[in-house]
Amino acid sequence: MKSWLALSLTLAATAWGSLDHSLQKLTAVGREGLGNEAAGEARREVVKTGPEALPAILDATGKGDNVADNWLRLAANTIVDQALAKKEVLPLREMEA
């Protein structure tokens, strides 16, 4: 039981570390296509995280320029669309905080 808990915590920490890294790539995108390739990959990784990523996406908004915010909105919209289609719960309370 303890090893299952340790493995779960390790996987969760890895997933959130990966989410942070992907969000950093998205906020680093600039005009004229600067960082677009990395942003495309990062967006896919953020979307894989699912609704749990929405509060972190909102927190990252405004840390880059308008182009970066567009990438973040695209990721958030995709997550919400997929969650609604699957009838998953959205973390509304966490996003209001």
Side-chain angles (χ1 to χ4, degrees):
M1 181 69 156
K2 286 182 181 179
S3 55
W4 179 84
L5 179 60
L7 176 61
S8 295
L9 291 173
T10 301
L11 291 175
T14 301
W16 282 108
S18 177
L19 175 62
D20 287 341
H21 184 68
S22 294
L23 290 173
Q24 287 174 358
K25 286 183 183 179
L26 290 175
T27 57
V29 174
R31 297 185 186 276
E32 307 296 326
L34 180 66
N36 276 352
E37 188 173 324
E41 180 182 323
R43 185 195 64 84
R44 286 187 290 277
E45 291 301 315
V46 170
V47 169
K48 285 182 192 177
T49 305
E52 304 83 30
L54 291 172
I57 293 171
L58 288 175
D59 186 53
T61 302
K63 293 185 178 174
D65 65 10
N66 292 338
V67 176
D69 284 351
N70 286 340
W71 279 97
L72 293 167
R73 272 191 292 278
L74 177 62
N77 287 342
T78 303
I79 290 170
V80 170
D81 288 345
Q82 289 177 356
L84 292 176
K86 296 177 184 177
K87 299 189 186 318
E88 293 178 336
V89 177
L90 297 174
L92 300 178
R93 285 201 175 130
E94 291 86 348
M95 292 187 296
E96 289 177 351

